[in-house]
Structures are given as structure tokens and as C-alpha cells.
């Protein structure tokens, strides 16, 4: 498994919140649900993502897929012009939708199952999916992404989008599981395509995947974090000298091999602590530390907390 696959594997939807929006201009919709990733696409018509923070609006055409990164609110609108933009038809919040002034939305706005808007026959059909992402491994992926990324379609929604549009309007048994997996597929295929696009600015570890020296080492680190890797053993696997390997890896990835290995091990440990009941000793050995003490020392040095404290905090977070 390569570095990108390792990170994408940890990003999974549970309880995906899809929304279909049927709209006739003028329109705008505000997103303030504080989710770390939101997938946006225009099934018909076009629109603009207004990220906020003085960032330039980003246009979406039919079939284009965008991912908005970060918990800060943003707006989707029929226009990029501030002076022409109308107040939000509704605001998507953490628990439900409200009007722009915080009141319950009008029944006229609710057009069906997972469907809102101002016109059933609207010229614009927008589909959004909110993605809950947690964990240290996922943070490594999010930190590599811009605020808004777009994969252009050439004007035609792809088959995954067409299938998703159909499923969003259904309420059959097991529907939530189907929607979760469709959102996973949309997100992962969009990210994979964006990472290979000319306009992307991928992180060092992604660029290094194709390198004959650093690439094999990255795959080994991600596949077998428990192995007692050293610069020497990784260099041997890459078939070059220790000095050549260390220099090449550092130049491409942006940090020394052992620093990258430590970061990956501790990210895995943090997520295992939060998501499983395995003992600290067991997790330590899974990620490459000889003992719970060794993991605890490294964990505290990097994250400023002990593994047991991290687990307690993660367990308390849903209740909060």
C-alpha cells in the first residue's frame, strides 16, 4: 500500500449527510455545519463556491466535483459578484437547516427526501455531501489539501455522480450504508484524480512515491511500520548507499527518513488508541515500539500528552 492509499484508507464516511438542491437564480446556500470536508457538485447548471477569508470564488460547471476543506463556513451561489449575491435561501448547520436569520426553514423550501430549494424545475441542481473526518492519519491528508480543489468533468456528470443522484432520492433498507459508500467512492476518486492534475501542488511524500529511491522506502514504511527500520535498512531495500538514500529522501519528502517514520507510527498509534480497546503495549508493538514506555515517551514529545490521556480525551469527545 502506498502513502496515498494508506491515508485514503483511513478516510471513511459514517452517517453521510447528502443534500440535493433544486434552484433557480438568484440563489445562495450557506454551509456552517463545521465538517472538515464537504463534497460539492453541480449535476445541472453552474454555481460558485465562495470560500470566505477574502479568497476568490471558484466556479463549478456541470459535472465538476469540488472538495471544500476546513470547518470554516462557506457559501454556494449562482454568482461570484458580492453585490448581486442574494441572502442565503437556507443555512446548513451541524444538526439541521435554518433560515438566514436562524429560524426554522419554511416548508416551501423542503422539496422532498434530502432535497431542498426554491424550484422543483430549477435550472441548477446541486449535490453536496458532508464528510466527518477524524484522527491523526486523516490530518496528514487534510494538511496536504488546499481550501478548495476542483476536478473538471468537461460538462457531463460521471456514472458515479449519476448513481449517487438516484440513491439520494431513495429511502430503501440499508440506504445510509449505500450513501456512505458512494460518498467514499466520490471523495477518493476525486482526490486521486486531483493529485495527478497539473494544477495540484501535492506534498513531498506524494511526489516521492514515483521516485525509484524514496518511493519503495515510503511504501515499506506504510506497509510495515512495526519493522525495526533504520536509514541503513531502508537504503538497502532501495538499493543505494545510506548517504544517497538519506539525501534523496530528505530532498523529496521534506524531512529525514526517521522523522517521517516516527510521524507515521505515532499517527497510527493515536488513531488506534482512539478507535480500539487494544492495550498501549499492544499498540506500541503494532506501530514499531518495543514497549508501551517507548511509545509513551515519543507520543508525549510530539503530541504533548500521554497515550492514556489521548485515549480518554477521544472517548469523551462524542459525549461532549
Amino acid at each position: 500500500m502506498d502513502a496515498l492509499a494508506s491515508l485514503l484508507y483511513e478516510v471513511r464516511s459514517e452517517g453521510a449527510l447528502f443534500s440535493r438542491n433544486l434552484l433557480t437564480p438568484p440563489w445562495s446556500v450557506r454551509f456552517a455545519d463545521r465538517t472538515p470536508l464537504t463534497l460539492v457538485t453541480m449535476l445541472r447548471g453552474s454555481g460558485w463556491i465562495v470560500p470566505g477569508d477574502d479568497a476568490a470564488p471558484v466556479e463549478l460547471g456541470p459535472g465538476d466535483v469540488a472538495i471544500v476543506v476546513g470547518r470554516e463556513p462557506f457559501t454556494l451561489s449562482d454568482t461570484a459578484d458580492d453585490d448581486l449575491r442574494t441572502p442565503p435561501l437556507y443555512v446548513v448547520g451541524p444538526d439541521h437547516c435554518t433560515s438566514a436569520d436562524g429560524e426554522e426553514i419554511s416548508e416551501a423550501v423542503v422539496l422532498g427526501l434530502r432535497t431542498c430549494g426554491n424550484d422543483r424545475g430549477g435550472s441548477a441542481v446541486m449535490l453536496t455531501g458532508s464528510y466527518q473526518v477524524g484522527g491523526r492519519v486523516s490530518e496528514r491528508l487534510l494538511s496536504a489539501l488546499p481550501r478548495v480543489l476542483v476536478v473538471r468533468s468537461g460538462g457531463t456528470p460521471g456514472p458515479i455522480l449519476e448513481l449517487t443522484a438516484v440513491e439520494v432520492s431513495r429511502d430503501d433498507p440499508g440506504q445510509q450504508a449505500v450513501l456512505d459508500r458512494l460518498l467514499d467512492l466520490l471523495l477518493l476518486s476525486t482526490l486521486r484524480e486531483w493529485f495527478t492534475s497539473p494544477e495540484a501542488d501535492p506534498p513531498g511524500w506524494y511526489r516521492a512515491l514515483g521516485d525509484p529511491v524514496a518511493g519503495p522506502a515510503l511504501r515499506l514504511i506504510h506497509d510495515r511500520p512495526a519493522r525495526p527500520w533504520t536509514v541503513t535498512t531502508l537504503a538497502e531495500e532501495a538499493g543505494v548507499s545510506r548517504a544517497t538514500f538519506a539525501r534523496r529522501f530528505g530532498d523529496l519528502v521534506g524531512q529525514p527518513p526517521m522523522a517521517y517514520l516516527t510521524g507515521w507510527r505515532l499517527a497510527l498509534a493515536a488513531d488506534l488508541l482512539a478507535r480500539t480497546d487494544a492495550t498501549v503495549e499492544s499498540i506500541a508493538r503494532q506501530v514499531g515500539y518495543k514497549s508501551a514506555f517507548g511509545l509513551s515517551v515519543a507520543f508525549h514529545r510530539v503530541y504533548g500528552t500521554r497515550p492514556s490521556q489521548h485515549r480518554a480525551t477521544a472517548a469523551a469527545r462524542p459525549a461532549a
Side-chain angles (χ1 to χ4, degrees):
M1 187 181 295
D2 62 42
L4 179 59
S6 298
L7 296 174
L8 295 181
Y9 185 77
E10 293 297 326
V11 180
R12 303 179 190 179
S13 175
E14 292 183 7
L17 181 60
F18 271 107
S19 172
R20 186 176 60 161
N21 306 267
L22 311 179
L23 303 156
T24 290
W27 59 266
S28 74
V29 179
R30 183 76 168 160
F31 284 80
D33 53 354
R34 313 292 297 179
T35 52
L37 285 177
T38 304
L39 186 140
V40 183
T41 184
M42 301 300 299
L43 297 175
R44 186 168 72 232
S46 61
W48 293 83
I49 298 172
V50 185
D53 297 330
D54 297 324
V58 179
E59 187 175 15
L60 281 184
D64 294 346
V65 180
I67 294 174
V68 184
V69 181
R71 299 180 183 275
E72 297 78 15
F74 64 95
T75 299
L76 290 161
S77 174
D78 66 307
T79 178
D81 192 326
D82 289 340
D83 296 331
L84 299 178
R85 192 173 306 129
T86 60
L89 181 64
Y90 44 88
V91 178
V92 179
D95 301 314
H96 61 287
C97 293
T98 67
S99 64
D101 56 8
E103 301 297 326
E104 291 295 323
I105 59 173
S106 164
E107 292 184 3
V109 172
V110 181
L111 303 181
L113 179 66
R114 305 185 188 91
T115 304
C116 292
N118 61 6
D119 185 356
R120 292 182 185 276
S123 59
V125 179
M126 178 176 68
L127 188 69
T128 66
S130 297
Y131 220 105
Q132 293 292 345
V133 178
R136 296 288 182 172
V137 170
S138 297
E139 287 178 7
R140 293 168 74 91
L141 174 62
L142 295 184
S143 66
L145 303 177
R147 170 65 166 156
V148 180
L149 64 90
V150 180
V151 172
R152 305 292 179 187
S153 73
T156 304
I160 302 174
L161 279 179
E162 292 178 346
L163 176 60
T164 303
V166 172
E167 291 295 336
V168 164
S169 63
R170 298 175 63 177
D171 194 23
D172 295 339
Q175 194 66 29
Q176 187 60 59
V178 172
L179 292 175
D180 284 342
R181 300 292 74 78
L182 282 171
L183 185 54
D184 284 341
L185 188 56
L186 280 170
L187 178 74
L188 301 186
S189 59
T190 301
L191 286 175
R192 184 176 63 177
E193 189 167 348
W194 180 80
F195 267 109
T196 61
S197 65
E199 64 268 24
D201 183 20
W205 54 258
Y206 182 82
R207 294 191 298 269
L209 287 173
D211 183 75
V213 173
L218 278 169
R219 292 180 177 87
L220 287 169
I221 287 171
H222 281 253
D223 281 350
R224 306 170 191 173
R227 290 278 296 272
W229 297 114
T230 64
V231 175
T232 299
T233 57
L234 287 170
E236 290 173 351
E237 293 285 350
V240 296
S241 71
R242 185 182 187 280
T244 298
F245 170 74
R247 182 174 59 254
R248 185 69 176 170
F249 191 100
D251 288 346
L252 290 175
V253 179
Q255 60 183 149
M258 293 298 99
Y260 185 90
L261 174 62
T262 297
W264 179 243
R265 283 173 168 172
L266 293 179
L268 290 175
D271 286 359
L272 288 170
L273 287 163
R275 298 173 182 174
T276 74
D277 295 326
T279 65
V280 177
E281 184 76 29
S282 171
I283 290 173
R285 296 186 182 280
Q286 286 184 62
V287 302
Y289 287 90
K290 294 181 179 180
S291 67
F293 177 76
L295 172 61
S296 183
V297 170
F299 202 91
H300 187 270
R301 183 178 67 250
V302 172
Y303 294 139
T305 186
R306 302 293 181 189
S308 57
Q309 294 169 325
H310 174 79
R311 169 171 276 170
T313 300
R317 194 169 295 127

